[in-house]
Amino acid sequence: MDPYKFRPSSAHNSNFWTTNSGAPVWNNNASLTVGERGPILLEDYHLLEKIAQFDRERIPERVVHARGASAKGFFEVTHDISHLTCADFLRAPGVQTPLIVRFSTVIHERGSPETLRDPRGFAVKFYTREGNFDMVGNNFPVFFVRDGMKFPDMVHALKPNPKTHIQEIWRILDFFSHHPESLHMFTFLFDDVGIPENYRTMPGFGVHTFTLINKAGKATFVKFHWLPAAGERCLSNEDAVVVGGTNHSHATKDLYDSIAAGNFPEWKLCIQVMDPADENKFDFDPLDVTKTWPEELFPLQPVGRMVLNRNIDNFFAENEQLAFCPALVVPGVYYTDDKLLQTRIFSYADTQRHRLGPNYLMLPVNAPKCAHHNNHHEGFMNFMHRDEEVNYFPSRFDPVRHSEKVPIPSHVLTGKREKVMIEKENNFAQPGARYRSWAPDRQERFVKMWIEALQDPRVIPEVRSIWLSYWSQCDKTLGQKIAAHVGGKANM
């Protein structure tokens, strides 16, 4: 065995206790003292190492998506889309790619109940032959805001009050009263689908518009959809109280137990595609994350299936250290000018560097499974074995070369520097249409959620009037139903 290439693993554990450096520990029960009852000696290195290690066991939890559960499996292509993309892992039906998935709640702490009304994260890491592809999405197809500039303020508003450390609805309604683009998202969050029954019966969406590129360089806009084979099921407010009171980790337990029993969760991956030349033909901006693409115009097309057939081996190593970033794409998949996506390309990797260190992509769960090469080196927790003398490029002593050229969108960009809102906001049409598509009893449950929210004693009349105005512009009868119970008039 080459000791310089040995990576620590519990598979190589000795049959007796040792220090981190491998020295044998003959007593792991008692501290080294002066006499039987004397003070502890500073030279008891094993004690100091054990306590110091324990003090540092916890790493910073995620700012968002702190509460989550992971599982491993594979993705299998079932339909040929090679005419749309040159991505190797999508090259032909039957091709399988290993992956890991992390489901999560968004706002609340690492130990919070999984039954809270909150968006859910749905993040998939594909370990492809061309590097890792992170499809980072949510269980709703839209989002609260369309520009990343608003993201920190949005999270602050949704998080607990910094004075009381309690999530308070008046703060949420105050912030979003300034952002009518959030209405569509609230038709999901305050709807019957606001609390998934478990992770197995939860859909997932890429939310953003990405670009697929084929071998000829032709670009196609795409939206990703994960549809659960078990069907979508959710909890009512009343059921959530019962389930959460019984087990605050019900969704994590359900996922783990199902896989352990051989009842492997499965999802179908479907896509919607659009020719970029058509993006200005609609009354909404297709790159706006607060909008969906009408399925009658852009039908769902099946691509493949995902099966989760393995539980993780260690929660810390494969859940807490698992890190996603929507910037991680592979040849054949690229970004768009979606303003929120453009922000996340930086933000996600940056937060992981803060939380896990600059070399977080060396951690086994995050590392690519294909051969890779670069000159990034040193820094905290860098355990890459290197014996090269050349760590720069180019060099006559290092034969490494550029890869073959990868196609990326080539449209010409023109314009002046400016900070502007999306021109076609159209904030009310899609939320209103979604509300009108529901059965009457489902509409009433949505109305009840808003009545309760707007009756909070700290919601000021001005904010209440703004929300009545918003919902009236979505649907006149919806605004009237809410106003009949909360009082006040729409501030049109």
Side-chain angles (χ1 to χ4, degrees):
M1 180 184 71
D2 182 351
Y4 295 103
K5 294 187 177 179
F6 173 70
R7 189 172 72 189
S9 168
S10 60
H12 300 286
N13 279 353
S14 72
N15 56 7
F16 53 82
W17 293 113
T18 74
T19 65
N20 283 348
S21 64
V25 173
W26 64 271
N27 187 334
N28 195 33
N29 294 314
S31 304
L32 184 65
T33 59
V34 179
E36 292 184 7
R37 301 186 64 199
I40 294 173
L41 291 171
L42 188 63
E43 68 187 57
D44 189 346
Y45 173 78
H46 173 57
L47 169 67
L48 300 184
E49 180 184 81
K50 187 174 182 180
I51 296 298
Q53 190 79 25
F54 173 75
D55 290 344
R56 294 162 174 80
E57 276 184 2
R58 295 294 175 262
I59 62 175
E61 72 174 32
R62 292 166 169 87
V63 176
V64 288
H65 299 278
R67 173 63 138 131
S70 304
K72 296 180 280 192
F74 66 89
F75 175 76
E76 180 180 25
V77 179
T78 57
H79 292 71
D80 184 9
I81 61 167
S82 59
H83 61 292
L84 294 174
T85 178
C86 60
D88 176 76
F89 81 104
L90 297 172
R91 63 187 178 275
V95 172
Q96 290 190 357
T97 301
L99 53 75
I100 187 168
V101 177
R102 187 174 188 270
F103 307 105
S104 58
T105 57
V106 174
I107 293 300
H108 301 281
E109 295 90 342
R110 186 156 49 193
S112 58
E114 293 180 306
T115 48
L116 298 178
R117 186 172 292 270
D118 192 29
R120 266 54 174 182
F122 195 121
V124 183
K125 185 182 294 291
F126 299 82
Y127 299 109
T128 88
R129 301 192 305 183
E130 296 180 310
N132 292 352
F133 171 41
D134 286 2
M135 190 184 293
V136 190
N138 289 335
N139 67 320
F140 301 146
V142 293
F143 199 63
F144 291 106
V145 294
R146 58 170 69 100
D147 192 315
M149 181 69 81
K150 303 176 184 179
F151 191 82
D153 296 294
M154 180 203 76
V155 173
H156 287 169
L158 290 166
K159 287 281 191 181
N161 183 326
K163 182 176 181 178
T164 65
H165 199 65
I166 299 171
Q167 187 185 47
E168 297 170 352
I169 190 64
W170 68 269
R171 288 165 35 86
I172 296 171
L173 297 185
D174 174 36
F175 174 76
F176 287 112
S177 71
H178 298 276
H179 302 295
E181 66 207 66
S182 66
L183 292 166
H184 202 183
M185 182 68 165
F186 277 111
T187 65
F188 289 88
L189 183 61
F190 278 22
D191 178 30
D192 289 352
V193 299
I195 309 175
E197 181 178 277
N198 53 57
Y199 293 133
R200 293 181 299 109
T201 60
M202 184 178 81
F205 304 90
V207 181
H208 299 288
T209 301
F210 283 84
T211 305
L212 297 179
I213 309 166
N214 65 16
K215 292 180 180 179
K218 178 176 173 52
T220 304
F221 286 163
V222 63
K223 279 186 174 290
F224 298 108
H225 301 249
W226 293 106
L227 307 180
E232 182 177 5
R233 296 199 298 271
C234 303
L235 297 173
S236 67
N237 285 340
E238 295 74 21
D239 290 338
V241 171
V242 175
V243 173
T246 304
N247 181 359
H248 82 300
S249 299
H250 82 284
T252 296
K253 186 178 189 304
D254 174 85
L255 180 67
Y256 189 94
D257 289 350
S258 296
I259 295 174
N263 178 24
F264 302 141
E266 184 172 334
W267 286 260
K268 178 190 292 185
L269 177 64
C270 294
I271 59 174
Q272 290 178 290
V273 295
M274 177 190 298
D275 188 332
D278 296 337
E279 67 174 314
N280 294 318
K281 294 182 178 180
F282 311 98
D283 62 358
F284 65 95
D285 188 330
L287 306 187
D288 180 353
V289 292
T290 70
K291 303 295 186 294
T292 55
W293 294 359
E295 291 185 21
E296 62 271 19
L297 299 178
F298 307 98
L300 297 181
Q301 303 178 31
V303 175
R305 68 187 187 113
M306 174 174 68
V307 179
L308 300 181
N309 58 6
R310 289 177 57 202
N311 279 312
I312 57 176
D313 301 314
N314 179 273
F315 187 83
F316 178 76
E318 296 181 302
N319 185 290
E320 286 305 294
Q321 292 193 133
L322 177 57
F324 293 90
C325 177
L328 301 188
V329 296
V330 292
V333 182
Y334 205 70
Y335 324 115
T336 63
D337 295 336
D338 170 349
K339 290 187 176 184
L340 190 65
L341 173 59
Q342 292 281 321
T343 310
R344 293 177 76 207
I345 288 171
F346 166 76
S347 175
Y348 273 58
D350 188 56
T351 194
Q352 303 301 354
R353 294 185 189 103
H354 163 70
R355 199 173 67 89
L356 300 170
N359 292 301
Y360 76 95
L361 289 174
M362 287 186 186
L363 295 169
V365 72
N366 299 321
K369 308 311 174 191
C370 60
H372 55 286
H373 181 97
N374 57 56
N375 286 328
H376 306 328
H377 71 130
E378 301 180 356
F380 291 111
M381 303 303 293
N382 188 318
F383 54 83
M384 175 74 71
H385 171 70
R386 286 183 178 273
D387 58 9
E388 303 93 347
E389 294 183 284
V390 175
N391 59 352
Y392 50 87
F393 177 84
S395 170
R396 293 179 179 83
F397 299 96
D398 187 349
V400 69
R401 56 180 174 80
H402 289 124
S403 69
E404 295 181 9
K405 186 176 181 180
V406 173
I408 61 174
S410 58
H411 61 282
V412 177
L413 298 174
T414 60
K416 60 184 180 180
R417 292 186 179 93
E418 53 189 333
K419 290 194 172 191
V420 295
M421 305 294 289
I422 287 178
E423 182 180 356
K424 290 186 281 189
E425 292 193 37
N426 203 349
N427 295 317
F428 307 107
Q430 289 194 2
R434 178 171 164 78
Y435 170 78
R436 288 187 292 274
S437 71
W438 297 335
D441 60 331
R442 186 171 177 180
Q443 291 181 346
E444 289 306 312
R445 287 190 291 273
F446 182 76
V447 168
K448 182 181 178 183
M449 286 286 298
W450 277 97
I451 292 171
E452 292 177 355
L454 292 171
Q455 285 179 335
D456 184 278
R458 292 197 65 179
V459 175
I460 62 176
E462 180 185 0
V463 170
R464 189 175 296 118
S465 295
I466 290 172
W467 281 105
L468 291 175
S469 169
Y470 286 167
W471 290 122
S472 295
Q473 291 178 76
C474 292
D475 184 273
K476 187 175 181 179
T477 59
L478 170 58
Q480 290 172 341
K481 287 180 179 179
I482 299 173
H485 290 84
V486 302
K489 296 191 304 182
N491 184 11
M492 303 295 282

